[in-house]
Amino acid sequence: MGGWQVLPEDLPPEVRHFVEQLRLLKDDTGLSLVALGARTAYSKSSWQRYLNAVQPPPRQAVVALCRVAGLAGPDAERHAVRWELAVQAWPRPATAPDRPPGAAEPAGYEDDPTLPWWDRPEPAPVPHPYGGRLLVYAVLLLLALLLVAVVGAMTLG
C-alpha cells in the first residue's frame, strides 16, 4: 500500500481493517482511481474518500469493486461482512455548529450513513398551521360561486 495516505490513528480497528482490505482489492485490480470510477458508478473523488477512510462507501460500491476485481461468492461475501462491521464502527461526524450537543443526527444518517441522498426516506411532512380548515373554506367558496353562477344564469336567462 505504498501510495496510500496514512490512515488516522484513532480509526476503529474494524474500519482500519476494512479500508486496508479495500485498498488491497483495488490495488489487485491494477486500475487507477479514474479507471475504477469509469468501471463503477462511483467517481474518482468518491473512491478517494472511501479508500482514505474519510467517508464510508455505500455497500453497492463495495459490491462493484468486488465485481471489477473478479470476486464472487464467499470472497465477495467476506467484503460485505467487513463492510457491515466497519459501517457500524465508523466514526460519526462532529456535531454541526448549528446543532446543539446531544441533538439527534440528521434523518437517515443513523440508519445508514452510506445511503445516498436520493435513496433516503422523505422527512415527515410538517402539518400546516390551519390543518384541513383551509381546504374546507376553499370548497365552501367554490360551492358559493357555483350557486351564484347558477342563480345568475337562471335569472338572466
Side-chain angles (χ1 to χ4, degrees):
M1 287 191 275
W4 293 109
Q5 271 184 342
V6 176
L7 294 173
E9 290 295 322
D10 60 346
L11 211 55
E14 299 89 352
V15 175
R16 179 177 297 282
H17 179 70
F18 171 70
V19 171
E20 288 171 350
Q21 293 300 311
L22 275 189
R23 287 177 170 187
L24 288 172
L25 190 58
K26 184 264 175 209
D27 288 343
D28 287 346
T29 67
L31 298 172
S32 68
L33 290 177
V34 173
L36 182 60
R39 293 180 131 198
T40 64
Y42 303 91
S43 66
K44 171 191 170 194
S45 59
S46 293
W47 281 112
Q48 284 175 326
R49 288 190 303 272
Y50 306 152
L51 295 168
N52 287 316
V54 173
Q55 175 185 351
R59 182 183 177 98
Q60 296 84 359
V62 177
V63 169
L65 178 57
C66 288
R67 180 183 41 78
V68 168
L71 293 183
D75 292 330
E77 188 58 34
R78 272 193 288 279
H79 285 284
V81 170
R82 287 183 189 123
W83 175 84
E84 291 279 343
L85 295 172
V87 166
Q88 290 173 6
W90 208 283
R92 300 293 191 230
T95 303
D98 59 342
R99 191 173 34 176
E105 296 278 353
Y109 188 86
E110 64 277 349
D111 297 330
D112 185 357
T114 66
L115 197 60
W117 63 267
W118 58 84
D119 281 345
R120 289 194 177 153
E122 290 291 322
V126 178
H128 195 276
Y130 298 114
R133 289 184 292 168
L134 191 59
L135 180 61
V136 171
Y137 292 142
V139 169
L140 287 174
L141 181 61
L142 181 62
L143 288 174
L145 286 172
L146 283 173
L147 182 63
V148 167
V150 168
V151 169
M154 290 174 64
T155 304
L156 297 174

